[in-house]
Amino acid sequence: MSRRGLAAVSSVLDQAASSATNILVLVLAARLSSASGFADFSMVYVTFSVLLGLNMAYVGQTVVLEKAEDRLGAVCRSGLAFTAAASAAVGAALVVVGLALPGAGGRAFLALGLVLPLVLVQDGLRYCFSALRTPERALAADALRLACVVAALLLQPEGASAGRLVLVWGVSALPALALGLFLLRPYVRGAAADLRPYLRRGHLGQRFVVEFAVGNGSSQLAVLGLGLFATPLAVGALRGATTLFGPLNVLFNSANAFGPPVVGRASGKRGVVRLTLLMGGVLAALGAGWGAVLYALPEGVGRQLLGDTWGAASALLPATGAQYAVMGLGTCALLTLRVLNPKATLSLQVVFSLLSVALLLGGYVLWGVAGAAWGLAAGSALKAAAAWLRVSRLPAPAPASAPVTTAA
């Protein structure tokens, strides 16, 4: 296997290990906790997920877009130093919140504040290894993280409090953090950390944070808003149908997180577009194929997956499969823009994420929950078309020497 092929496989496997960690943490916490305890744990984990996404957008994406080979060591050290400092500050705020909140929920937030720097810095190592084009090192650290967190949670007694589970989950990141720092050390030895670019107005990560908030927040709020005038069954059906496409989310996240360094090595705009079109075609075919497989499942198997929600969710699988097929094309179009002109993606994300919300709600008003699902698919298709149109109008890639953290 070529070096590029090995990097691609390692990136996908690393994203799969990270996703499996998140899934198994929730599954094990649910099995160990009471209903109220798991509710407390879930609130804390949602908070962590938001903070993780914000750090990925503000720090991780700018790290993987660095093109100057001689600056990679300093960029990685600076990114990790900023993540450590920012997570310590946010963690201290969470400790204060935890002390102010009564009961088990407060203790769970306090525990999150104590372990937040460990888990965010450990996750931030993945982007450093991606920028350095050594994703196999990220895979080694994240595989160890998966093994340690599962083992640590399995040792906890049934009925363990949310605070205890959060603390165990966080501390179990220490071996993976130590391994990751050891594997990174040869690349950052002698490099100096500089936090000033992250504090400047116009830092590129600020645009990515807005994209994250709009792209991830708008769809979640739309589904929640649908629950205000739709039946809980409609919301559950949409959630259930989307949940079944979790394996594809792993691939899409891999493309977003680890694609830029691989794609950036292609020759010129034509080479980048040729590679991302190929990637988009593969992801689109996988989305359509996965949807067809799910739609063909016997009802008994479907009920094993989603229980009573299967009946309503299965009717939405054609629409959700179509949505994920065009999302594959859209993801790679945005990846192309991210590599060639990083500032070109914000307006697309804002406009078409809001349009998807409008199509979801409008589809529900006209045709019920199936219309809502097809509305989401139409929004994804329009975003993909607009993104590729923007790619076609780019005159040339950004200069290789241009830093990614300059002011707009």
Side-chain angles (χ1 to χ4, degrees), residues 79-103:
L80 289 177
F82 179 82
T83 296
S87 59
V90 175
L94 287 172
V95 167
V96 173
V97 170
L99 291 172
L101 291 175

Side-chain angles (χ1 to χ4, degrees), residues 376-399:
L376 285 174
S380 296
L382 291 172
K383 181 190 285 189
W388 280 114
L389 180 62
R390 180 73 62 87
V391 169
S392 71
R393 293 179 174 176
L394 287 178

Side-chain angles (χ1 to χ4, degrees), residues 131-146:
L132 294 164
R133 301 190 182 100
T134 56
E136 65 278 1
R137 298 190 176 217
L139 175 59
D142 285 332
L144 178 61
R145 168 67 169 142
L146 174 59

Side-chain angles (χ1 to χ4, degrees), residues 80 107 119 156 194 239 281 325:
L80 289 177
R107 291 191 291 273
V119 291
Q156 302 310 303
D194 183 8
R239 290 281 193 190

Side-chain angles (χ1 to χ4, degrees), residues 27 244 315 340:
V27 169
L244 293 173
L340 298 178

Side-chain angles (χ1 to χ4, degrees), residues 115-331:
V115 301
L116 188 65
L118 298 178
V119 291
L120 285 189
V121 173
Q122 192 274 321
D123 185 81
L125 287 164
R126 301 165 61 219
Y127 300 96
C128 294
F129 289 127
S130 176
L132 294 164
R133 301 190 182 100
T134 56
E136 65 278 1
R137 298 190 176 217
L139 175 59
D142 285 332
L144 178 61
R145 168 67 169 142
L146 174 59
C148 289
V149 73
V150 170
L153 289 175
L154 285 175
L155 291 174
Q156 302 310 303
E158 189 171 347
S161 69
R164 174 171 177 160
L165 293 177
V166 171
L167 200 59
V168 168
W169 159 76
V171 172
S172 68
L174 274 172
L177 175 60
L179 175 62
L181 292 174
F182 174 76
L183 294 174
L184 183 67
R185 185 179 177 185
Y187 299 95
V188 300
R189 186 183 291 116
D194 183 8
L195 304 188
R196 289 173 296 177
Y198 292 99
L199 303 175
R200 290 192 194 120
R201 183 178 180 182
H203 171 61
L204 192 57
Q206 294 166 9
R207 303 174 71 91
F208 296 153
V209 164
V210 176
E211 288 186 30
F212 170 79
V214 173
N216 290 268
S218 60
S219 59
Q220 298 296 326
L221 290 174
V223 174
L224 291 174
L226 186 64
L228 296 177
F229 56 90
T231 64
L233 180 61
V235 177
L238 280 172
R239 290 281 193 190
T242 303
T243 299
L244 293 173
F245 284 81
L248 289 180
N249 288 330
V250 171
L251 296 178
F252 293 167
N253 289 336
S254 293
N256 282 320
F258 304 111
V262 176
V263 172
R265 299 177 70 182
S267 176
K269 176 186 173 183
R270 181 174 297 181
V272 169
V273 171
R274 186 183 298 120
L275 180 56
T276 52
L277 271 174
L278 176 61
M279 291 171 59
V282 170
L283 290 178
L286 287 172
W290 186 248
V293 168
L294 292 173
Y295 192 67
L297 286 178
E299 184 174 350
V301 176
R303 288 189 175 277
Q304 294 250 337
L305 293 172
L306 290 180
D308 291 339
T309 306
W310 170 255
S314 62
L316 306 182
L317 289 175
T320 307
Q323 179 191 359
Y324 272 80
V326 294
M327 278 173 63
L329 292 170
T331 295

